[in-house]
Coordinates of all heavy atoms in Angstrom, one line a residue:
T186 N -2.5 -12.3 20.2 CA -1.1 -12.4 20.4 C -0.3 -11.9 19.1 O -0.8 -12.0 18.0 CB -0.7 -13.9 20.6 OG1 -1.2 -14.7 19.6 CG2 -1.0 -14.3 22.0
Y187 N 0.9 -11.4 19.4 CA 1.7 -10.9 18.3 C 2.3 -12.0 17.5 O 2.7 -13.1 18.0 CB 2.8 -10.1 18.9 CG 3.8 -9.6 17.9 CD1 3.5 -8.5 17.0 CD2 5.0 -10.2 17.7 CE1 4.4 -8.1 16.0 CE2 6.0 -9.8 16.7 CZ 5.6 -8.8 15.9 OH 6.5 -8.4 15.0
S188 N 2.3 -11.8 16.2 CA 3.0 -12.8 15.3 C 3.8 -12.0 14.2 O 3.3 -11.1 13.6 CB 1.9 -13.6 14.5 OG 2.4 -14.2 13.4
Q189 N 5.0 -12.3 14.1 CA 5.9 -11.6 13.1 C 5.3 -11.8 11.7 O 5.3 -10.9 10.9 CB 7.3 -12.1 13.2 CG 8.3 -11.3 12.4 CD 9.7 -11.8 12.5 OE1 10.0 -13.0 12.5 NE2 10.6 -10.8 12.5
K190 N 4.8 -13.0 11.4 CA 4.2 -13.2 10.1 C 3.1 -12.3 9.8 O 3.0 -11.7 8.7 CB 3.8 -14.7 9.9 CG 3.2 -15.0 8.5 CD 2.3 -16.2 8.5 CE 1.7 -16.5 7.2 NZ 0.9 -15.4 6.6
H191 N 2.2 -12.1 10.8 CA 1.0 -11.2 10.6 C 1.5 -9.8 10.4 O 0.9 -9.0 9.7 CB 0.0 -11.4 11.7 CG -0.7 -12.7 11.7 ND1 -0.8 -13.5 12.8 CD2 -1.3 -13.3 10.7 CE1 -1.5 -14.6 12.4 NE2 -1.8 -14.5 11.1
C192 N 2.5 -9.5 11.2 CA 3.1 -8.1 11.0 C 3.6 -7.9 9.6 O 3.4 -6.8 9.0 CB 4.2 -7.9 12.1 SG 4.9 -6.2 12.1
Y193 N 4.4 -8.9 9.1 CA 4.9 -8.8 7.7 C 3.7 -8.6 6.7 O 3.8 -7.9 5.8 CB 5.7 -10.0 7.3 CG 7.2 -9.9 7.8 CD1 7.7 -10.8 8.6 CD2 7.9 -8.8 7.5 CE1 9.1 -10.8 9.0 CE2 9.3 -8.7 7.9 CZ 9.8 -9.7 8.6 OH 11.1 -9.6 9.1
D194 N 2.6 -9.4 7.0 CA 1.4 -9.3 6.1 C 0.9 -7.9 6.1 O 0.5 -7.3 5.1 CB 0.4 -10.3 6.5 CG 0.7 -11.7 6.2 OD1 1.7 -11.9 5.4 OD2 0.1 -12.6 6.7
L195 N 0.8 -7.3 7.3 CA 0.2 -5.9 7.5 C 1.2 -4.9 6.8 O 0.8 -4.0 6.1 CB 0.1 -5.6 8.9 CG -1.1 -6.2 9.6 CD1 -1.1 -5.9 11.1 CD2 -2.4 -5.6 9.0
C196 N 2.5 -5.2 7.0 CA 3.5 -4.3 6.3 C 3.4 -4.3 4.8 O 3.4 -3.3 4.2 CB 4.9 -4.7 6.8 SG 6.2 -3.7 6.2
K197 N 3.3 -5.5 4.3 CA 3.1 -5.6 2.8 C 1.8 -5.0 2.3 O 1.8 -4.3 1.3 CB 3.1 -7.1 2.4 CG 4.5 -7.7 2.5 CD 4.5 -9.1 1.9 CE 4.6 -10.2 3.0 NZ 4.6 -11.5 2.5
N198 N 0.8 -5.1 3.1 CA -0.5 -4.5 2.7 C -0.4 -3.0 2.8 O -1.0 -2.3 2.0 CB -1.6 -5.0 3.6 CG -2.9 -5.3 2.9 OD1 -2.9 -5.4 1.6 ND2 -4.0 -5.5 3.6
Y199 N 0.3 -2.5 3.8 CA 0.5 -1.1 3.9 C 1.2 -0.5 2.6 O 0.7 0.5 2.1 CB 1.4 -0.7 5.1 CG 1.9 0.7 5.1 CD1 1.1 1.7 5.6 CD2 3.2 1.0 4.7 CE1 1.6 3.0 5.5 CE2 3.7 2.3 4.7 CZ 2.9 3.3 5.1 OH 3.3 4.6 5.1
Y200 N 2.2 -1.2 2.2 CA 2.9 -0.7 1.0 C 2.1 -0.9 -0.3 O 2.1 0.0 -1.2 CB 4.3 -1.4 0.8 CG 5.3 -0.8 1.7 CD1 5.7 -1.5 2.9 CD2 5.9 0.4 1.5 CE1 6.6 -0.9 3.7 CE2 6.8 1.0 2.3 CZ 7.2 0.3 3.5 OH 8.1 0.9 4.3
T201 N 1.2 -1.9 -0.3 CA 0.3 -2.0 -1.4 C -0.7 -0.9 -1.4 O -1.0 -0.3 -2.5 CB -0.4 -3.4 -1.3 OG1 0.6 -4.4 -1.3 CG2 -1.4 -3.6 -2.5
I202 N -1.3 -0.6 -0.3 CA -2.3 0.5 -0.2 C -1.6 1.8 -0.6 O -2.1 2.6 -1.4 CB -2.8 0.6 1.2 CG1 -3.7 -0.6 1.5 CG2 -3.6 1.9 1.4 CD1 -4.1 -0.8 3.0
K203 N -0.4 2.0 -0.1 CA 0.3 3.3 -0.4 C 0.6 3.5 -1.9 O 0.5 4.6 -2.4 CB 1.6 3.3 0.4 CG 2.4 4.5 0.3 CD 3.7 4.5 1.2 CE 4.6 5.7 1.0 NZ 5.8 5.6 1.7
N204 N 1.0 2.4 -2.5 CA 1.4 2.5 -3.9 C 0.3 2.2 -4.9 O 0.4 2.7 -6.0 CB 2.6 1.5 -4.2 CG 3.9 1.9 -3.5 OD1 4.5 2.9 -3.8 ND2 4.3 1.1 -2.5
C205 N -0.7 1.5 -4.6 CA -1.7 1.1 -5.5 C -3.1 1.5 -5.2 O -4.0 1.4 -5.9 CB -1.7 -0.5 -5.7 SG -0.2 -1.2 -6.1
N206 N -3.3 2.1 -4.0 CA -4.6 2.5 -3.5 C -5.6 1.3 -3.5 O -6.8 1.5 -3.8 CB -5.1 3.7 -4.3 CG -6.2 4.4 -3.5 OD1 -6.2 4.5 -2.3 ND2 -7.2 5.0 -4.2
C207 N -5.1 0.2 -3.2 CA -6.0 -1.0 -3.0 C -5.3 -1.9 -1.9 O -4.2 -1.7 -1.6 CB -6.2 -1.8 -4.3 SG -4.7 -2.5 -5.0
Y208 N -6.1 -2.9 -1.4 CA -5.6 -3.7 -0.4 C -5.8 -5.2 -0.7 O -6.6 -5.5 -1.6 CB -6.3 -3.4 1.0 CG -7.8 -3.8 0.9 CD1 -8.3 -5.0 1.3 CD2 -8.7 -2.9 0.5 CE1 -9.6 -5.3 1.3 CE2 -10.1 -3.2 0.4 CZ -10.5 -4.4 0.8 OH -11.8 -4.7 0.8
N209 N -5.0 -6.0 -0.1 CA -5.1 -7.5 -0.3 C -6.3 -7.9 0.6 O -6.2 -7.8 1.8 CB -3.8 -8.2 0.1 CG -3.9 -9.7 0.1 OD1 -4.9 -10.3 0.0 ND2 -2.7 -10.3 0.1
P210 N -7.3 -8.5 0.0 CA -8.5 -8.9 0.8 C -8.3 -10.0 1.8 O -9.0 -10.2 2.7 CB -9.6 -9.2 -0.2 CG -8.8 -9.6 -1.5 CD -7.5 -8.8 -1.4
G211 N -7.1 -10.7 1.6 CA -6.8 -11.8 2.5 C -6.1 -11.4 3.8 O -5.8 -12.2 4.7
V212 N -5.8 -10.1 3.9 CA -5.1 -9.5 5.0 C -5.9 -8.4 5.6 O -6.4 -7.5 4.9 CB -3.7 -9.0 4.6 CG1 -3.0 -8.4 5.7 CG2 -2.9 -10.1 4.0
I213 N -6.0 -8.3 6.9 CA -6.6 -7.2 7.6 C -5.9 -5.9 7.2 O -4.7 -5.9 7.2 CB -6.6 -7.4 9.1 CG1 -7.5 -8.6 9.5 CG2 -7.1 -6.2 9.8 CD1 -7.4 -9.0 10.9
H214 N -6.6 -4.9 6.9 CA -6.0 -3.6 6.7 C -6.5 -2.6 7.7 O -7.6 -2.7 8.2 CB -6.2 -3.1 5.2 CG -7.6 -2.9 4.9 ND1 -8.3 -1.7 5.0 CD2 -8.6 -3.8 4.4 CE1 -9.5 -1.8 4.6 NE2 -9.7 -3.1 4.2
L215 N -5.6 -1.6 7.9 CA -5.9 -0.6 9.0 C -6.4 0.7 8.4 O -6.4 1.7 9.1 CB -4.7 -0.4 9.9 CG -4.2 -1.7 10.5 CD1 -2.9 -1.4 11.3 CD2 -5.2 -2.4 11.4
N216 N -6.8 0.7 7.2 CA -7.3 1.9 6.5 C -8.8 1.8 6.3 O -9.2 0.9 5.6 CB -6.5 2.1 5.2 CG -6.8 3.4 4.5 OD1 -8.0 3.8 4.5 ND2 -5.8 4.0 3.9
D217 N -9.5 2.7 6.8 CA -11.0 2.6 6.7 C -11.6 3.6 5.7 O -12.7 3.9 5.7 CB -11.6 2.9 8.1 CG -11.3 4.2 8.6 OD1 -10.6 5.0 8.0 OD2 -11.9 4.6 9.7
S218 N -10.8 4.0 4.7 CA -11.2 4.9 3.7 C -12.3 4.2 2.8 O -12.1 3.1 2.4 CB -10.0 5.3 2.8 OG -10.5 6.0 1.6
A219 N -13.3 4.9 2.5 CA -14.4 4.4 1.7 C -13.9 4.2 0.2 O -14.5 3.4 -0.5 CB -15.6 5.3 1.7
D220 N -12.9 5.0 -0.2 CA -12.4 4.9 -1.6 C -11.5 3.8 -1.8 O -11.2 3.4 -2.9 CB -11.7 6.2 -1.9 CG -12.6 7.4 -1.9 OD1 -13.8 7.3 -2.1 OD2 -12.1 8.5 -1.6
L221 N -11.1 3.1 -0.7 CA -10.1 2.0 -0.9 C -10.8 0.8 -1.4 O -11.8 0.4 -0.8 CB -9.4 1.8 0.5 CG -8.3 0.8 0.5 CD1 -7.1 1.4 -0.3 CD2 -7.8 0.6 1.9
K222 N -10.3 0.2 -2.4 CA -10.9 -1.0 -3.0 C -9.9 -2.2 -2.9 O -8.8 -2.1 -2.7 CB -11.2 -0.7 -4.5 CG -12.1 0.5 -4.7 CD -13.0 0.3 -5.9 CE -13.8 1.4 -6.2 NZ -14.6 2.0 -5.1
S223 N -10.5 -3.4 -3.0 CA -9.7 -4.6 -3.1 C -8.8 -4.6 -4.3 O -9.1 -4.0 -5.3 CB -10.7 -5.8 -3.2 OG -10.0 -6.9 -3.6
C224 N -7.7 -5.3 -4.3 CA -6.8 -5.3 -5.4 C -7.2 -6.3 -6.5 O -6.5 -6.5 -7.5 CB -5.4 -5.7 -4.9 SG -4.6 -4.4 -4.0
F225 N -8.4 -6.9 -6.4 CA -9.0 -7.7 -7.5 C -9.3 -6.7 -8.6 O -9.8 -5.6 -8.3 CB -10.2 -8.5 -7.0 CG -9.9 -9.6 -6.1 CD1 -10.7 -10.0 -5.1 CD2 -8.8 -10.4 -6.3 CE1 -10.4 -11.0 -4.3 CE2 -8.5 -11.5 -5.5 CZ -9.3 -11.8 -4.5
G226 N -9.1 -7.1 -9.8 CA -9.3 -6.2 -10.9 C -8.0 -6.1 -11.6 O -6.9 -6.0 -11.0
I227 N -8.0 -6.1 -12.9 CA -6.7 -6.2 -13.7 C -5.7 -5.1 -13.4 O -4.6 -5.4 -13.0 CB -7.0 -6.1 -15.2 CG1 -7.9 -7.3 -15.6 CG2 -5.7 -6.1 -16.0 CD1 -7.3 -8.7 -15.4
N228 N -6.1 -3.8 -13.4 CA -5.1 -2.8 -13.2 C -4.6 -2.8 -11.7 O -3.4 -2.6 -11.5 CB -5.7 -1.4 -13.5 CG -6.0 -1.2 -15.0 OD1 -5.4 -1.9 -15.8 ND2 -6.9 -0.4 -15.3
R229 N -5.5 -2.9 -10.8 CA -5.1 -3.0 -9.4 C -4.3 -4.2 -9.1 O -3.3 -4.1 -8.3 CB -6.3 -2.9 -8.5 CG -7.0 -1.5 -8.5 CD -8.1 -1.3 -7.5 NE -9.1 -2.4 -7.6 CZ -10.2 -2.2 -8.2 NH1 -10.5 -1.1 -8.8 NH2 -11.1 -3.2 -8.2
F230 N -4.7 -5.3 -9.6 CA -3.9 -6.6 -9.4 C -2.5 -6.5 -9.9 O -1.5 -6.9 -9.2 CB -4.6 -7.8 -10.0 CG -3.9 -9.1 -9.7 CD1 -4.0 -9.7 -8.5 CD2 -3.0 -9.6 -10.7 CE1 -3.3 -10.9 -8.2 CE2 -2.3 -10.8 -10.4 CZ -2.5 -11.4 -9.2
D231 N -2.3 -5.9 -11.1 CA -1.0 -5.8 -11.7 C -0.1 -4.9 -10.8 O 1.0 -5.2 -10.5 CB -1.1 -5.1 -13.1 CG -1.6 -6.1 -14.1 OD1 -1.6 -7.3 -13.9 OD2 -1.9 -5.6 -15.2
C232 N -0.7 -3.8 -10.3 CA 0.1 -2.9 -9.4 C 0.5 -3.7 -8.1 O 1.6 -3.6 -7.7 CB -0.7 -1.7 -9.1 SG 0.1 -0.5 -8.0
A233 N -0.5 -4.3 -7.5 CA -0.3 -5.1 -6.3 C 0.8 -6.2 -6.4 O 1.6 -6.4 -5.6 CB -1.6 -5.6 -5.7
Y234 N 0.7 -6.8 -7.6 CA 1.7 -7.9 -7.9 C 3.1 -7.3 -8.0 O 4.1 -7.9 -7.5 CB 1.3 -8.6 -9.1 CG 2.2 -9.8 -9.4 CD1 2.2 -10.9 -8.5 CD2 3.1 -9.9 -10.4 CE1 3.0 -12.0 -8.7 CE2 3.9 -10.9 -10.7 CZ 3.9 -12.0 -9.8 OH 4.7 -13.1 -10.0
K235 N 3.3 -6.1 -8.6 CA 4.6 -5.5 -8.7 C 5.1 -5.1 -7.4 O 6.3 -5.3 -7.1 CB 4.5 -4.2 -9.6 CG 4.3 -4.6 -11.1 CD 4.2 -3.3 -11.9 CE 3.9 -3.7 -13.4 NZ 3.6 -2.5 -14.2
V236 N 4.2 -4.6 -6.5 CA 4.6 -4.2 -5.1 C 5.1 -5.5 -4.4 O 6.1 -5.5 -3.7 CB 3.5 -3.5 -4.4 CG1 3.8 -3.4 -2.9 CG2 3.3 -2.1 -5.0
H237 N 4.3 -6.5 -4.6 CA 4.6 -7.8 -3.9 C 6.0 -8.3 -4.3 O 6.8 -8.7 -3.5 CB 3.6 -8.9 -4.3 CG 4.0 -10.3 -3.8 ND1 3.9 -10.7 -2.5 CD2 4.5 -11.3 -4.5 CE1 4.3 -11.9 -2.5 NE2 4.7 -12.3 -3.7
L238 N 6.3 -8.2 -5.6 CA 7.6 -8.6 -6.1 C 8.7 -7.8 -5.5 O 9.8 -8.3 -5.1 CB 7.7 -8.6 -7.6 CG 6.8 -9.7 -8.3 CD1 6.9 -9.5 -9.8 CD2 7.3 -11.1 -7.9
E239 N 8.5 -6.5 -5.5 CA 9.5 -5.5 -4.9 C 9.7 -5.8 -3.5 O 10.9 -5.9 -3.0 CB 9.1 -4.1 -5.1 CG 9.1 -3.6 -6.6 CD 8.4 -2.3 -6.7 OE1 8.1 -1.6 -5.7 OE2 8.2 -1.9 -7.9
L240 N 8.7 -6.1 -2.7 CA 8.8 -6.3 -1.3 C 9.4 -7.7 -1.0 O 10.1 -7.9 0.0 CB 7.4 -6.2 -0.6 CG 6.9 -4.8 -0.4 CD1 5.5 -4.9 0.1 CD2 7.7 -4.0 0.5
H241 N 9.2 -8.6 -1.9 CA 9.8 -9.9 -1.7 C 11.3 -9.9 -1.8 O 12.0 -10.5 -1.1 CB 9.2 -10.9 -2.8 CG 9.7 -12.3 -2.6 ND1 9.2 -13.1 -1.6 CD2 10.6 -13.1 -3.3 CE1 9.8 -14.3 -1.7 NE2 10.6 -14.3 -2.7
D242 N 11.8 -9.0 -2.7 CA 13.2 -8.8 -2.8 C 13.8 -8.1 -1.6 O 14.9 -8.4 -1.2 CB 13.6 -8.1 -4.1 CG 13.3 -8.9 -5.3 OD1 13.3 -10.1 -5.2 OD2 13.3 -8.3 -6.4
I243 N 13.1 -7.1 -1.1 CA 13.7 -6.3 0.0 C 12.9 -6.3 1.3 O 13.0 -5.4 2.1 CB 13.9 -4.9 -0.5 CG1 12.6 -4.3 -1.0 CG2 15.0 -4.8 -1.5 CD1 12.7 -2.8 -1.5
E244 N 12.0 -7.3 1.4 CA 11.1 -7.4 2.5 C 11.7 -7.2 3.9 O 11.3 -6.4 4.7 CB 10.3 -8.7 2.5 CG 9.4 -8.9 3.6 CD 8.7 -10.2 3.5 OE1 7.8 -10.4 2.6 OE2 8.9 -11.1 4.3
K245 N 12.8 -7.9 4.1 CA 13.5 -7.9 5.4 C 13.9 -6.5 5.7 O 13.9 -6.0 6.9 CB 14.6 -8.9 5.5 CG 14.2 -10.3 5.3 CD 13.4 -10.8 6.6 CE 13.1 -12.2 6.5 NZ 12.2 -12.6 7.5
N246 N 14.4 -5.8 4.7 CA 14.9 -4.4 4.9 C 13.8 -3.4 5.3 O 13.9 -2.6 6.1 CB 15.7 -3.9 3.7 CG 17.0 -4.7 3.5 OD1 17.5 -5.2 4.4 ND2 17.4 -4.8 2.3
L247 N 12.7 -3.6 4.6 CA 11.5 -2.6 4.8 C 10.7 -2.9 6.0 O 10.4 -2.1 6.8 CB 10.6 -2.6 3.6 CG 11.1 -1.9 2.3 CD1 10.1 -2.1 1.2 CD2 11.3 -0.4 2.6
C248 N 10.4 -4.2 6.2 CA 9.5 -4.6 7.3 C 10.2 -5.0 8.6 O 9.5 -5.0 9.6 CB 8.6 -5.7 6.8 SG 7.5 -5.1 5.4
S249 N 11.4 -5.3 8.6 CA 12.0 -5.9 9.8 C 12.1 -4.8 10.9 O 12.0 -5.2 12.1 CB 13.4 -6.5 9.5 OG 14.3 -5.4 9.1
N250 N 12.2 -3.6 10.6 CA 12.3 -2.5 11.6 C 10.9 -2.4 12.3 O 10.8 -2.0 13.4 CB 12.6 -1.2 11.0 CG 14.1 -1.1 10.6 OD1 14.9 -1.9 11.1 ND2 14.4 -0.3 9.6
F251 N 9.8 -2.8 11.5 CA 8.5 -2.7 12.1 C 8.0 -4.0 12.7 O 7.0 -4.0 13.4 CB 7.5 -2.2 11.0 CG 7.8 -1.0 10.3 CD1 8.4 -1.0 9.0 CD2 7.7 0.2 11.0 CE1 8.7 0.2 8.4 CE2 8.0 1.4 10.3 CZ 8.5 1.4 9.1
C252 N 8.7 -5.1 12.4 CA 8.2 -6.4 12.8 C 9.3 -7.2 13.5 O 9.9 -8.1 12.9 CB 7.7 -7.2 11.5 SG 6.4 -6.4 10.6
P253 N 9.5 -6.9 14.7 CA 10.5 -7.7 15.5 C 10.0 -9.1 15.7 O 8.9 -9.4 15.5 CB 10.6 -7.0 16.8 CG 9.3 -6.3 17.0 CD 8.9 -5.9 15.6
S254 N 11.0 -10.0 16.0 CA 10.6 -11.4 16.3 C 9.8 -11.5 17.5 O 9.8 -10.6 18.4 CB 11.9 -12.2 16.5 OG 12.7 -12.2 15.4
E255 N 9.0 -12.6 17.6 CA 8.2 -12.8 18.8 C 9.1 -13.1 20.0 O 10.3 -13.5 19.8 CB 7.3 -14.1 18.6 CG 6.3 -14.0 17.4 CD 6.9 -14.6 16.1 OE1 8.1 -14.7 16.0 OE2 6.1 -14.9 15.3
C256 N 8.7 -12.8 21.1 CA 9.5 -13.1 22.3 C 9.6 -14.6 22.5 O 10.6 -15.1 22.9 CB 8.8 -12.5 23.6 SG 8.8 -10.7 23.6
K257 N 8.6 -15.3 22.2 CA 8.6 -16.8 22.3 C 7.7 -17.3 21.1 O 6.6 -16.8 20.9 CB 8.0 -17.2 23.6 CG 8.0 -18.7 23.9 CD 7.5 -19.0 25.2 CE 7.5 -20.5 25.5 NZ 7.0 -20.9 26.8
N258 N 8.2 -18.4 20.5 CA 7.5 -18.9 19.4 C 7.6 -20.5 19.5 O 8.6 -21.0 19.7 CB 8.1 -18.5 18.0 CG 7.4 -19.0 16.8 OD1 6.2 -19.3 16.9 ND2 8.1 -19.1 15.7
T259 N 6.4 -21.1 19.4 CA 6.4 -22.6 19.5 C 5.7 -23.1 18.2 O 4.6 -22.6 17.8 CB 5.5 -23.0 20.7 OG1 6.1 -22.4 21.9 CG2 5.5 -24.5 20.8
E260 N 6.4 -23.9 17.5 CA 5.8 -24.6 16.3 C 5.7 -26.0 16.5 O 6.5 -26.7 17.2 CB 6.7 -24.3 15.1 CG 6.8 -22.9 14.7 CD 7.7 -22.6 13.5 OE1 7.8 -23.6 12.7 OE2 8.1 -21.5 13.3
F261 N 4.6 -26.6 16.0 CA 4.3 -28.0 16.2 C 4.3 -28.7 14.8 O 3.9 -28.1 13.8 CB 2.9 -28.2 16.8 CG 2.8 -27.6 18.2 CD1 2.4 -26.3 18.4 CD2 3.2 -28.4 19.3 CE1 2.3 -25.8 19.7 CE2 3.2 -27.9 20.6 CZ 2.7 -26.6 20.8
E262 N 4.7 -29.9 14.8 CA 4.6 -30.7 13.6 C 3.4 -31.6 13.7 O 3.1 -32.3 14.6 CB 5.9 -31.6 13.4 CG 5.9 -32.3 12.1 CD 7.2 -33.1 12.0 OE1 8.3 -32.5 12.3 OE2 7.2 -34.3 11.6
L263 N 2.6 -31.5 12.6 CA 1.3 -32.3 12.6 C 1.6 -33.7 12.2 O 2.3 -34.0 11.2 CB 0.4 -31.7 11.5 CG -1.0 -32.3 11.4 CD1 -1.8 -32.2 12.7 CD2 -1.8 -31.7 10.3
S264 N 1.1 -34.7 12.9 CA 1.2 -36.1 12.6 C 0.0 -36.8 13.1 O -0.8 -36.3 14.0 CB 2.5 -36.7 13.2 OG 2.4 -36.7 14.6
S265 N -0.2 -38.0 12.6 CA -1.4 -38.7 13.1 C -1.0 -40.2 13.2 O 0.0 -40.7 12.5 CB -2.6 -38.6 12.1 OG -2.2 -39.2 10.9
S266 N -1.7 -40.9 14.0 CA -1.4 -42.3 14.2 C -2.7 -43.1 14.1 O -3.8 -42.6 14.5 CB -0.7 -42.6 15.5 OG -1.6 -42.2 16.6
I267 N -2.7 -44.2 13.5 CA -3.9 -45.0 13.3 C -3.9 -46.1 14.3 O -3.0 -46.7 14.7 CB -4.0 -45.5 11.9 CG1 -4.1 -44.2 10.9 CG2 -5.2 -46.4 11.7 CD1 -4.1 -44.6 9.5

């Protein structure tokens, strides 16, 4: 099922790959290049963090065109009773 949050994650990963030639290992990426490495490592992490900060400021502008809202979204609040 489609999730706007997952779409934003993919969008952010796309810009990280494009700018840093590495990917966030916590997010599925759609690039199967053998040269592509995880953003772990000092130089790659610094680059990925800068991209993250830039996207955080303008994320809605960059990713909203690619990531429309879900048609229907249901959220539940977790509670327990003893």
Side-chain angles (χ1 to χ4, degrees):
T186 50
Y187 174 77
S188 160
Q189 188 179 40
K190 182 202 176 305
H191 290 129
C192 184
Y193 277 125
D194 289 343
L195 285 171
C196 181
K197 287 187 252 183
N198 221 15
Y199 167 80
Y200 283 103
T201 303
I202 291 167
K203 182 178 174 183
N204 291 293
C205 304
N206 199 33
C207 65
Y208 66 93
N209 177 344
V212 178
I213 295 172
H214 61 91
L215 304 176
N216 186 321
D217 60 357
S218 170
D220 294 333
L221 191 63
K222 303 213 181 310
S223 162
C224 291
F225 287 142
I227 298 299
N228 293 337
R229 290 188 304 263
F230 180 81
D231 287 346
C232 179
Y234 186 67
K235 287 177 187 173
V236 169
H237 170 77
L238 291 178
E239 290 171 9
L240 288 173
H241 185 71
D242 288 342
I243 55 177
E244 175 181 292
K245 295 293 183 190
N246 295 331
L247 285 176
C248 296
S249 63
N250 292 335
F251 303 106
C252 300
S254 297
E255 300 93 341
C256 295
K257 184 178 180 181
N258 183 23
T259 305
E260 294 185 22
F261 297 93
E262 186 176 315
L263 181 63
S264 66
S265 65
S266 61
I267 297 177

